[in-house]
Amino acid sequence: MARRSKIVSGFLISGALLLTSLGVGGMAMNANAAQDPKSSAAQPAAAHAGHVMAASTVASGDDPDGDGYIPANPPVTGVDPSTKEPPHAYFHEFQAHCTVTHHKPDDPIVYPGQPGKSHDHTFMGNTTTDANSTTASLNSGSTSCLAPGDKSGYWMPTLLKGNTPVLPVGEQTIYYKAGVTDYTSVRPFPKGLRFVVGSPMQTADEFRHHPGFVEGWECGTSYFNTEIPQNCPTSQDTQLNIRFQAPSCWDGKYLDTPDHKSHMAYPIVVPGTNNNACPADHPVALPMIEFKMAFPVNGDLSQVRLASGTGHSFHYDFFNAWDDRTLKAMVDHCVVGGLQCDPRGYDQNHPEAGAALNERYELP
């Protein structure tokens, strides 16, 4: 798996696979995102068991009027998407390693202030994440990530075997990558930015052709599955895995929108090239998050499902609560610097570049 993962990661960043997975799907998504974010067309209301992706009608700590819009303060203006081609680098990424902290039927993005209203989610990173989480509460919480400065909330629908939760064991990998060709244009997430990646209501075909689809569900030698495989080799080191990428272009205006997606977009292909850049209406290049999750199940998986439904309902949520200085150091050193960094911001292939963080995963 290590060899295969390295090939996939390098290939994604090289632009060839990004051309397929980001360009076509990204342009389709961008067509929706180009609408006025406050128009009714930008506020879908599709129901699913335990999840309704619709405008919030409940006031919360970060959204006191309950309209679903959380303005960036200050907004980022005057940015044009970069179409530059910096010196070639195979990698421009770093990893966050975080462990699972808890699971509960909460979602502070889709159902803020409404405990128990969501399907069950598995939470990583911030130990306090629940339905009432806000930027301030996460900032005051603790974290299960190696870097103490990463107090972000990461969550996904809980995997179930029958009705028993199956939680990932040990450190899970969350990549922070450049999704655009000009990796030097990537800047840190603004504090409080949040979004949902994918949808519990998506069809199997939508999941397979989603711009964030990387390898789908995989187990043993079975890859690119839209559904959880029925069987998996029974061995000590075999687990069920999934990789999925998030949009990385921001409108610079909102930390959240009613559909929890319209403020974000996937990069698009620059016409006449194999390069990727942010669309004009979402010009701010941010890190591209990629979940790489491993679930400790194998053998007969016929009773394995997600709390949100079948395998193609997989999605996840991100709520940024990084310490600003720590995140900037990691982005500048690893992403902008064209390195392949571990959670310390150290690239073992370029030891001369040093690390962004010390042995305690903190700023030196």
Side-chain angles (χ1 to χ4, degrees):
M1 280 303 296
R3 182 186 66 81
R4 190 172 190 277
S5 296
K6 186 173 183 180
I7 292 173
V8 170
S9 179
F11 191 44
L12 282 169
I13 297 305
S14 71
L17 185 54
L18 280 168
L19 174 63
T20 301
S21 66
L22 297 181
V24 177
M27 286 186 285
M29 174 170 283
N30 186 51
N32 294 328
Q35 303 172 18
D36 178 352
K38 290 197 174 186
S39 72
S40 59
Q43 301 180 28
H48 183 277
H51 234 314
V52 179
M53 302 289 281
S56 171
T57 57
V58 176
S60 65
D62 287 340
D63 182 22
D65 61 4
D67 69 350
Y69 291 95
I70 302 177
N73 185 21
V76 176
T77 60
V79 176
D80 292 320
S82 176
T83 56
K84 296 179 181 178
E85 292 189 50
H88 176 69
Y90 280 105
F91 299 100
H92 7 71
E93 64 184 45
F94 68 88
Q95 299 177 15
H97 287 183
C98 309
T99 59
V100 168
T101 57
H102 57 288
H103 71 94
K104 60 171 51 182
D106 286 3
D107 190 326
I109 294 179
V110 178
Y111 292 119
Q114 302 168 77
K117 192 169 183 179
S118 172
H119 54 247
D120 202 70
H121 283 107
T122 294
F123 294 87
M124 298 171 291
N126 201 294
T127 62
T128 69
T129 312
D130 62 17
N132 296 309
S133 291
T134 62
T135 304
S137 72
L138 293 179
N139 195 56
S140 298
S142 58
T143 183
S144 69
C145 300
L146 288 181
D150 184 7
K151 296 184 178 182
S152 301
Y154 307 91
W155 62 97
M156 58 191 169
T158 298
L159 191 79
L160 302 170
K161 187 169 186 178
N163 292 317
T164 302
V166 179
L167 306 180
V169 177
E171 296 173 3
Q172 301 300 300
T173 302
I174 300 159
Y175 292 98
Y176 284 66
K177 302 183 175 185
V180 293
T181 299
D182 184 9
Y183 56 87
T184 67
S185 68
V186 176
R187 64 179 70 193
F189 292 113
K191 183 70 72 70
L193 181 77
R194 67 208 74 183
F195 51 78
V196 178
V197 184
S199 169
M201 291 84 71
Q202 64 204 353
T203 66
D205 186 66
E206 289 170 337
F207 177 59
R208 178 64 183 86
H209 294 96
H210 192 283
F213 189 95
V214 180
E215 295 176 332
W217 293 99
E218 58 180 37
C219 198
T221 58
S222 180
Y223 302 100
F224 300 105
N225 298 292
T226 57
E227 305 301 339
I228 297 170
Q230 291 289 295
N231 291 282
C232 185
T234 302
S235 63
Q236 186 174 0
D237 59 350
T238 300
Q239 298 190 82
L240 179 67
N241 299 275
I242 191 166
R243 298 167 67 108
F244 210 79
Q245 294 179 332
S248 60
C249 297
W250 180 43
D251 66 7
K253 301 174 183 178
Y254 296 102
L255 301 178
D256 196 13
T257 43
D259 66 357
H260 317 297
K261 296 184 179 186
S262 294
H263 54 309
M264 300 296 296
Y266 284 86
I268 59 175
V269 177
V270 178
T273 75
N274 286 330
N275 296 339
N276 294 280
C278 285
D281 53 354
H282 290 73
V284 184
L286 302 176
M288 173 175 277
I289 286 180
E290 178 183 309
F291 266 34
K292 182 183 179 183
M293 303 289 109
F295 301 90
V297 289
N298 55 36
D300 180 9
L301 304 185
S302 61
Q303 301 302 309
V304 174
R305 59 186 173 87
L306 293 171
S308 56
T310 61
H312 67 255
S313 71
F314 180 78
H315 58 287
Y316 62 87
D317 302 56
F318 170 67
F319 193 143
N320 177 45
W322 273 88
D323 168 70
D324 290 334
R325 291 179 60 243
T326 304
L327 180 59
K328 179 173 172 53
M330 293 291 283
V331 170
D332 288 352
H333 184 69
C334 302
V335 181
V336 175
L339 299 175
Q340 185 184 27
C341 293
D342 65 13
R344 275 191 62 208
Y346 176 76
D347 184 344
Q348 64 180 357
N349 296 311
H350 293 280
E352 74 283 356
L357 307 179
N358 62 24
E359 293 79 4
R360 297 185 300 277
Y361 300 92
E362 298 174 331
L363 288 171

